[in-house]
Amino acid sequence: LGGAPSNVAVHLASLFQSSSHHHPSTSSHSHHPTVAIAACLGNDQLGKEAHRRLSIKGVRVDYIQYHHEWETGMATAIIDENGDATYEFNTPAAWDGLCLEDRLLDLILKNDKGQQSTKVFVMGTIAGRLKNDHGATSLTTLMTIRNNAPEGSVVLDVNLRSPWYTPETVLKLAQGTAKEGSDSSEEKSPKKLALLKLNEEELCILEQWCGRKDKPSDGKQEGNGLTGSILKQRMEQLATSLNAQRVCITRGKDGAALLCNGSATVEFYENAGYSSLTTTINNDGDTVGAGDAFLAALVTSLFIQKESPERALERACALGGYVAGCRGATPEHGDAPEDLKRVFSLGERWCFVE
């Protein structure tokens, strides 16, 4: 079982289950958060097995679709000597054919005003890899979700896997498009992303796509522009260019940075990561799934628990660091070292998420 969306879903479900075990409901009217995955599988044995494993992991599978022609997607991860992975995909695959079914559209458009609930829609750029070629529909579906989900509810995970991306597709998903023919001033402007997450290499690529030719300078290029005030400036520019309320840059063993671009103030946080605690977890570890685990913890803390950005970044680095020290993308959270588990384990304050 793999793929960025399913990895994120599994880690979210694990975090949610941990919370329900440690903080059982005291009211019959309160809800624990749930995670559902909207995906397209092949009508084959691999698809049935993926469905079964997701369900076992606590992920809702009622939004899963089955493609009548294409096989379940498969990715071959090639691990280098540093534990970093490159990927090969079967093409086209069922996950290229995600459609906007009525039940999925209803979930997006459902008005939850007055309810104690929070919806967060997490999507990755790689699902739009084929655009509309070969009869693929996933990009159209993602764009509809991106443009119609409530303001500040969409999280976009940038996954640049050569050759499966184009600047046009990635920028379109990030920036969104305004509703055509609308007279409302609010609807004339594309809705902002809640969060744009990418790594340090992808930061440089997206900056080039946005037309930035030179790096900002305020003296020494400390950390090659990946820390401090220089990085903050770069992230502010990217947030403006890509219509995002928040931008998160992951830096591998060097942790991550988070910028929150509010209406009045700009907050910037850095965390050095937990590589010193994860190197002894598993000598046979790899980085597969580390970014997905990081994102799951960040989304949970920032949007569901409503914790501070600094605390959210700390939790995300801890869970991402744990997974980076393990073999495979979704190791059991309960097997993490206690020092890390105490950081990424969830607190007491919860509300419902679909």
Side-chain angles (χ1 to χ4, degrees), residues 334-346:
D335 294 337
E338 288 301 321
D339 286 347
L340 285 176
K341 199 186 306 181
R342 278 194 294 268
V343 179
F344 68 71
S345 291
L346 300 175

Side-chain angles (χ1 to χ4, degrees), residues 9-249:
V10 167
H11 283 293
L12 282 169
S14 183
L15 290 167
F16 293 169
Q17 289 169 352
S18 174
S19 172
S20 65
H21 292 157
H22 288 92
H23 307 289
S25 172
T26 57
S27 169
S28 60
H29 298 291
S30 62
H31 297 276
H32 286 295
T34 62
V35 55
I37 185 168
C40 189
L41 302 173
N43 191 17
D44 49 34
Q45 190 58 42
L46 281 178
K48 294 176 183 177
E49 181 64 13
H51 186 285
R52 184 186 72 84
R53 292 192 186 187
L54 286 166
S55 183
I56 288 174
K57 293 287 188 179
V59 178
R60 284 175 50 187
V61 293
D62 43 319
Y63 292 98
I64 283 184
Q65 305 169 18
Y66 288 91
H67 202 280
H68 68 281
E69 181 179 352
W70 295 338
E71 296 179 348
T72 298
M74 290 185 61
T76 302
I78 303 171
I79 311 299
D80 65 18
E81 58 185 10
N82 297 318
D84 296 322
T86 55
Y87 301 88
E88 296 178 355
F89 306 98
N90 60 324
T91 306
W95 58 277
D96 295 308
L98 181 67
C99 295
L100 190 67
E101 295 182 335
D102 288 343
R103 55 183 173 166
L104 181 56
L105 184 60
D106 289 343
L107 176 65
I108 298 163
L109 299 179
K110 182 181 177 182
N111 190 333
D112 290 328
K113 288 183 178 180
Q115 298 183 25
Q116 293 294 319
S117 63
T118 299
K119 285 181 183 177
V120 182
F121 299 92
V122 182
M123 61 177 65
T125 59
I126 197 168
R129 62 176 183 148
L130 295 185
K131 297 186 284 187
N132 297 321
D133 298 342
H134 306 287
T137 55
S138 291
L139 177 59
T140 299
T141 299
L142 291 186
M143 280 305 308
T144 303
I145 296 171
R146 168 69 181 90
N147 293 329
N148 289 278
E151 174 92 12
S153 66
V154 175
V155 173
L156 182 63
D157 187 12
V158 177
N159 299 118
L160 302 185
R161 304 283 186 259
S162 182
W164 301 114
Y165 64 87
T166 64
E168 175 191 9
T169 298
V170 175
L171 293 179
K172 192 175 180 182
L173 280 170
Q175 295 167 336
T177 56
K179 288 187 177 180
E180 296 182 3
S182 174
D183 294 329
S184 168
S185 59
E186 290 184 1
E187 293 184 347
K188 284 182 180 179
S189 299
K191 297 176 181 178
K192 288 185 177 293
L193 287 173
L195 172 69
L196 177 74
K197 178 242 175 193
L198 62 165
N199 64 31
E200 54 195 301
E201 292 85 5
E202 292 162 344
L203 169 62
C204 296
I205 294 172
L206 265 66
E207 284 177 328
Q208 292 176 355
W209 293 349
C210 292
R212 183 175 154 214
K213 298 179 181 178
D214 58 331
K215 295 180 181 179
S217 177
D218 59 357
K220 294 182 179 179
Q221 289 284 325
E222 182 182 358
N224 195 28
L226 287 170
T227 187
S229 60
I230 298 175
L231 179 60
K232 178 184 177 183
Q233 184 179 348
R234 296 174 69 182
M235 292 171 70
E236 282 188 76
Q237 292 177 351
L238 196 67
T240 300
S241 298
L242 296 184
N243 199 27
Q245 295 174 339
R246 303 168 188 83
V247 173
C248 184
I249 306 295

Side-chain angles (χ1 to χ4, degrees), residues 269-306:
Y269 303 92
E270 293 187 85
N271 188 289
Y274 291 85
S275 60
S276 61
L277 291 177
T278 60
T279 52
T280 59
I281 295 176
N282 189 338
N283 292 329
D284 198 25
D286 56 59
T287 61
V288 176
D292 304 326
F294 174 98
L295 182 58
L298 188 66
V299 166
T300 300
S301 179
L302 198 58
F303 300 117
I304 311 306
Q305 284 192 291
K306 313 292 187 184

Side-chain angles (χ1 to χ4, degrees), residues 256-258 269-271 294 298 309-317:
L258 175 63
Y269 303 92
E270 293 187 85
N271 188 289
F294 174 98
L298 188 66
E310 185 175 21
R311 180 59 171 151
L313 190 62
E314 185 179 27
R315 289 192 191 275
C317 285

